[in-house]
Amino acid sequence: MKKLVYLFAMFLMLTSCGEYQNVLNKGSVEDQYKMAVKMYEANKYGKALRLFEKITTSYRGKPQMERIQYMVANSNFNEKNYSLAGYYFNRFTQNYPKSSKKEEADFLSALSYYKAAPRFSLDPTDTNKALEAFQTFIDSYPNSSRMEEANKYYKELRYKLEKKSFEIAKTYYRTADYDSRNYKAAIVAFDNLLEDYLGTQFKEEALYYRFKAAHDFALKSTRRRRVERIKEAEKAYDKLIRNFPKSQFLDESNQMLSVLRKEKEQLQPVIKS
């Protein structure tokens, strides 16, 4: 009995595959559309996409095109072609701004780019697209039932970009022993982080490393340049302590400040001259 059931299932599968291939290769546009919808509703998204690719041109400008564009976007999403899905969902909302599925498509466009985004250290293109898309969604649908989820993803993406900026700045600092120009690059990078991401979770650590970079840069400068750079380092210390008077880096920062002040005292003759 089990063998008969198995053989019957195989027969149905082969028949179905044969029907699909026949429609794909020789079917009319209408038959291909019907088969594409059938495959889509059966969650066979890869097969649906192959058919949609063949019929899209024929349905351009027709009423069915709205449904086709949405199914193409959603098929790509379910096939984990996330960058393509983000693009097609965005195209759908632009082409059909009055569609009942616009809110859902806007959210799925952002979610697609979110899922396509790599970890923080890699190319941030999709991360930036996702961040922008979620910000647009949050602004456009303040009463959406998806608002909590959208805010959660937005915060994750923002953190990812903050961390990338922070790690880039730290890399400049860590490599400055080999190339002293990187001290200045680190200072600029930390300043950019603090300016671009107000309230960043990395603010205390960024201010500390910004001071540390300014401290090291000053001490490794020529005697005449050292004077002005010590003053800049002192300003960096003041900014750290002003924002975090009980900073976890307070003891080490105070020690560095003490070194700078002693150095400045020794440079008084240079200052006067």
Side-chain angles (χ1 to χ4, degrees), residues 183-235:
Y183 284 122
K184 194 170 184 179
I187 291 168
V188 171
F190 283 121
D191 283 342
N192 288 340
L193 166 67
L194 295 165
E195 184 178 342
D196 292 343
Y197 302 101
L198 299 176
T200 175
Q201 297 180 50
F202 299 101
K203 185 173 183 178
E204 181 181 358
E205 199 170 352
L207 286 170
Y208 164 71
Y209 272 105
R210 200 247 186 249
F211 169 51
K212 194 173 176 67
H215 165 275
D216 294 0
F217 191 38
L219 294 182
K220 292 184 179 181
S221 300
T222 61
R223 285 176 64 84
R224 190 163 295 276
R225 289 187 174 183
R226 204 175 304 166
V227 175
E228 189 59 36
R229 287 172 182 172
I230 286 175
K231 291 179 183 178
E232 291 300 317
E234 287 175 327
K235 290 178 184 178

Side-chain angles (χ1 to χ4, degrees), residues 77-261:
F77 182 86
N78 283 286
E79 285 291 292
K80 299 184 179 181
N81 303 324
Y82 293 123
S83 289
L84 275 176
Y87 168 77
Y88 282 121
F89 276 124
N90 185 52
R91 264 185 62 183
F92 174 84
T93 60
Q94 290 179 352
N95 291 338
Y96 304 100
K98 296 182 180 180
S99 172
S100 61
K101 287 186 173 291
K102 184 177 185 301
E103 179 184 334
E104 181 181 358
D106 275 332
F107 179 81
L108 288 174
S109 178
L111 184 60
S112 297
Y113 287 127
Y114 168 85
K115 288 181 175 290
R119 64 192 190 90
F120 76 88
S121 61
L122 300 177
D123 182 0
T125 300
D126 284 321
T127 302
N128 285 321
K129 287 181 181 178
L131 195 65
E132 183 179 349
F134 274 121
Q135 183 64 69
T136 299
F137 181 87
I138 290 165
D139 293 340
S140 301
Y141 307 99
N143 299 316
S144 172
S145 61
R146 299 180 174 90
M147 185 57 64
E148 184 177 348
E149 194 175 1
N151 277 312
K152 183 191 78 168
Y153 289 133
Y154 180 86
K155 289 177 182 176
E156 285 182 23
L157 291 161
R158 184 179 170 86
Y159 175 83
K160 184 183 287 189
L161 291 179
E162 288 176 23
K163 186 170 178 61
K164 183 178 180 66
S165 293
F166 178 68
E167 292 298 334
I168 288 172
K170 275 178 70 176
T171 298
Y172 279 128
Y173 173 73
R174 288 169 178 162
T175 57
D177 280 343
Y178 308 103
D179 186 346
S180 60
R181 292 173 298 181
N182 283 352
Y183 284 122
K184 194 170 184 179
I187 291 168
V188 171
F190 283 121
D191 283 342
N192 288 340
L193 166 67
L194 295 165
E195 184 178 342
D196 292 343
Y197 302 101
L198 299 176
T200 175
Q201 297 180 50
F202 299 101
K203 185 173 183 178
E204 181 181 358
E205 199 170 352
L207 286 170
Y208 164 71
Y209 272 105
R210 200 247 186 249
F211 169 51
K212 194 173 176 67
H215 165 275
D216 294 0
F217 191 38
L219 294 182
K220 292 184 179 181
S221 300
T222 61
R223 285 176 64 84
R224 190 163 295 276
R225 289 187 174 183
R226 204 175 304 166
V227 175
E228 189 59 36
R229 287 172 182 172
I230 286 175
K231 291 179 183 178
E232 291 300 317
E234 287 175 327
K235 290 178 184 178
Y237 170 86
D238 290 341
K239 190 170 183 179
L240 168 63
I241 301 307
R242 187 167 63 251
N243 283 274
F244 299 96
K246 296 182 180 180
S247 173
Q248 60 179 310
F249 305 111
L250 184 60
D251 289 343
E252 187 177 351
S253 296
N254 284 337
Q255 289 174 15
M256 287 192 291
L257 180 66
S258 178
V259 171
L260 289 171
R261 286 177 173 170

